Amino acid sequence: MLYGIKNAYKAFKTYRSDKKALHEFDKHAAYVKNVHGSPSKKYSNILLHLVDIGDYLTFRNFLPYYHQMCGDDTLFIGNVAYKPLYDAYDHTFSHTLWLDKKTIRDYAGRKAWLDTLLSVHAGHVYMPAYNANGFPDLLSMLAFTDAEKLFPIHGGDSFQVHIFERYRQHTSNNRFIGPLQASFVHEFLRNKEIAELLCGQKITIDQPHLPVHKKHSHMIVLFCGANHVSKVWPASHYAAVIRHIEKAFPGKYNFVLSGSANERGMEKAIADLLSPSMKNLTLTCGNTSLPELVQQIADACLLITPDTVAQHIAASTETPCVVYSNGVNYYRFIKTPSAFSHMHHVVPPLFVKKGYPLWRFAPSSLVSTIPPEMFSAKALRVLGDS
């Protein structure tokens, strides 16, 4: 597990000499200094939340509590990828700054930019890092930054607790915020625990929520996660599931293939396997904005997906969802709280047979071993219960 941390430091040293990258961050630092046209502008606090879209969906319902704790004169710095969701549903903070993926992933530039933030602003900088993916980045910054004002926030799984305890042995930085004991809980509940810890109050939210008006329909959305091998199911499996549902409920449902532009190849492969005369199939990959995707999933009677963004949207709109997964990150995503009764997961037969839910890593190709018949049976049961 420490291999990733070592790679992070190696990456940091590599990027450190990249003058072009540092120049880009100098421009961002200058922007921060002059945001709202005030060179001397100082924020009471800074909330740094540079996660992906899916992680933001499990976090966004707690933004009002962070706002309550930090105050309105806080600069919220986020990933531009989830900005459409923030603009459409949140707008919690008056002051925001959005960074792109390239900017976020550059360790050396991030260090220089964070140093600027810490030197310019008198308040605290809060940075949540709830999962292992964010740790190499976070620790590399802590190791090379005079972070007297930086308060890292961790989510409390065993990996995080172990790494933070090791880090404490080699530094005087004791400002970490998070459970001292390992906590194996769903991502949403982990965010809730941290918000309660920070704000010092009990939060009664039991599940994520997006404020959308649901237009109930007989639409089944298939969000095809073809952008990573661990999310790739053969096109023939998708086609087989559509056929099984159509056979069980002839002409009742409209099928919508959805996803980003990256899924257009998968979308075409699925459509080519189905009958050209099939009139109840709509192709929308790459043609929907994030808010439009939210509405599309909210209106559906069933979502079929391997994608965490899509399933978090379904959880937030109470749309019945059947997820196929290669089985990793069992507690973070698969073992859902009781309030998520509309979420269903199908994992590889090997997991069902041997059961190793604590695995962080598993062969990505395992997902392709889930037979369409097994998945269809679950989907048909969900449709029959709805």
Side-chain angles (χ1 to χ4, degrees), residues 1 132 156-159 182-186 190 326-335 347 350-352 354-362:
M1 286 185 288
D157 72 13
S158 58
F159 175 81
S183 173
F184 295 102
V185 295
H186 188 270
R190 182 181 298 173
N326 69 344
V328 298
N329 287 314
Y330 178 80
Y331 282 98
R332 282 184 61 209
F333 297 123
I334 299 175
K335 193 179 187 310
V347 296
L350 183 62
F351 270 56
V352 176
K354 293 188 175 182
Y356 31 98
L358 292 179
W359 274 33
R360 280 190 173 278
F361 309 100

Side-chain angles (χ1 to χ4, degrees), residues 1-9 11-12 107 127 129 131-144 159 163:
M1 286 185 288
L2 291 175
Y3 180 74
I5 306 298
K6 292 177 181 177
N7 274 352
Y9 291 126
F12 175 85
Y107 297 106
M127 181 180 177
N131 56 59
N133 293 333
F135 263 55
D137 185 13
L138 176 58
L139 292 182
S140 66
M141 284 196 299
L142 289 172
F144 296 101
F159 175 81
I163 293 298

Side-chain angles (χ1 to χ4, degrees), residues 15-27:
Y15 283 126
R16 198 172 190 176
S17 61
D18 190 340
K19 293 183 179 179
K20 183 178 179 181
L22 286 172
H23 175 68
E24 290 298 313
F25 277 85
D26 286 341
K27 290 195 297 185

